Amino acid sequence: MHICKTISEFRKFRCSLTESKIIFVPTMGALHEGHGSLVQMARQLAGSNGVVAASIFVNPTQFGPNEDFHKYPRPFEQDLANLSRWQADVVFSPSPEEMYPVGTSTSIDPGPLGDSLDGAIRPGHFRGVCTVVAKLLGIVEPTAMILGQKDFQQQRILRQMAMDLNMPVEVITAPTMREPDGVAMSSRNRYLSPDQRARAGAIYQALCRAQDQYRSGMRESAVLQAGMIEQITQAGLEVQYALACHAETLVPYTETAGTPCVLLVAARLGTTRLIDNLLIS
Ligand code: PAF
């Protein structure tokens, strides 16, 4: 597995390739089996001749001033071992200075999809995400990029960005990987105490119950939302939002033929913020 720490190293590697299929998985490291499923999907799509590229970069511009940028886990050697086990071919892991040299001034506006949900709670977050992913795509030049469904709003915004800015990349969304009790795999789960970890399952349980209600015919988003809030709050979590939204526009759900509904939750357990969602089919 090649490791490139600078843009010029990566470009040199890129120029040496004869195969044009490059499947890219952007990450911030602290990798878990959820990332593993994305890299393994990339491996399958790339086949034995194609190239699987991953990036490890804790992007400072997507963290707010009071967020966990400095304490975000950086187990670099373990991440490399995992990427190698999942059969990645190349890893791009630049420094913040490499990605944002002094004088960098351009950023990408995520548009209205970035105004609600996490965008409202974490001002500037999606501007940072769009900017770094646009830069990574400009460096890696993949044919396809794989994103996890767990960050539902992120994958929706990045798909829109790629389309609006005519980026020649296919955006693929991969299913959320879950622990046996249903908790969505996340690098931030490692912040949870054993007691908090035991209570975190309430989010998925609430999502599943709302999904059952929806499948039984309930279409009033206020009812779905109230049920989720009650169940998650009872487990001792602080709900930031629990919403039924249109999967494409991310606006609150109202019954309209043919448009899928996504249930989205963000909740805090102590100082840890967890998000999860279910796309109702
Ligand atoms: O989901 C993440 O890990 C990050 O937001 C991403 C897409 C790698 C951009 O920094």
Side-chain angles (χ1 to χ4, degrees):
M1 190 172 73
H2 296 260
I3 299 163
C4 303
K5 297 216 165 205
T6 65
I7 297 168
S8 65
E9 270 169 40
F10 191 90
R11 290 216 162 114
K12 219 160 133 191
F13 169 83
R14 181 80 176 72
C15 282
S16 72
L17 298 176
T18 46
E19 173 63 42
S20 58
K21 201 182 235 187
I22 300 189
I23 316 288
F24 175 48
V25 180
T27 84
M28 297 205 300
L31 304 178
H32 48 70
E33 294 301 321
H35 295 107
S37 72
L38 307 185
V39 178
Q40 283 158 342
M41 178 188 270
R43 181 73 277 153
Q44 265 198 336
L45 292 173
S48 51
N49 292 327
V51 173
V52 174
S55 61
I56 297 177
F57 180 61
V58 186
N59 173 36
T61 67
Q62 68 187 76
F63 288 80
N66 299 319
E67 294 185 350
D68 56 347
F69 173 68
H70 291 292
K71 84 164 198 193
Y72 200 83
R74 290 163 172 86
F76 188 61
E77 293 305 321
Q78 202 180 315
D79 285 345
L80 292 184
N82 279 326
L83 287 170
S84 166
R85 179 165 63 90
W86 298 324
Q87 295 183 301
D89 297 304
V90 58
V91 183
F92 178 53
S93 66
S95 65
E97 297 73 30
E98 180 74 6
M99 287 300 275
Y100 299 106
V102 174
T104 304
S105 61
T106 306
S107 63
I108 293 187
D109 183 338
L113 287 170
D115 289 342
S116 61
L117 304 162
D118 280 10
I121 291 169
R122 306 180 67 188
H125 171 66
F126 287 118
R127 177 178 290 276
V129 170
C130 286
T131 304
V132 79
V133 172
K135 285 167 73 70
L136 290 167
L137 291 174
I139 296 161
V140 176
E141 296 184 78
T143 42
M145 167 171 72
I146 304 186
L147 301 167
Q149 189 195 312
K150 190 191 144 258
D151 296 297
F152 192 87
Q153 188 177 16
Q154 170 173 278
Q155 63 79 37
R156 178 66 194 89
I157 289 171
L158 292 175
R159 181 183 297 278
Q160 190 72 35
M161 176 186 82
M163 192 175 79
D164 291 348
L165 301 184
N166 307 98
M167 294 174 165
V169 63
E170 183 190 355
V171 178
I172 297 168
T173 303
T176 304
M177 296 298 286
R178 299 186 177 280
E179 303 288 355
D181 65 348
V183 170
M185 289 186 185
S186 163
S187 304
R188 290 188 168 100
N189 289 351
R190 65 188 78 190
Y191 297 152
L192 300 173
S193 69
D195 169 60
Q196 290 173 332
R197 177 61 191 78
R199 285 185 282 134
I203 297 178
Y204 184 60
Q205 286 157 18
L207 285 166
C208 288
R209 198 176 70 170
Q211 176 176 251
D212 288 346
Q213 285 178 300
Y214 182 96
R215 286 184 174 156
S216 312
M218 172 51 67
R219 292 293 183 275
E220 279 183 50
S221 48
V223 173
L224 299 170
Q225 290 165 194
M228 290 192 283
I229 293 171
E230 190 191 352
Q231 195 168 349
I232 298 166
T233 308
Q234 265 173 11
L237 287 80
E238 181 201 328
V239 177
Q240 291 188 322
Y241 59 76
L243 294 167
C245 292
H246 286 281
E248 282 299 299
T249 56
L250 304 181
V251 300
Y253 190 79
T254 50
E255 196 174 0
T256 317
T259 65
C261 172
V262 61
L263 303 168
L264 298 143
V265 169
R268 290 181 75 93
L269 253 172
T271 54
T272 306
R273 182 169 187 274
L274 301 175
I275 58 171
D276 199 356
N277 66 81
L278 275 186
L279 183 59
I280 304 178
S281 49

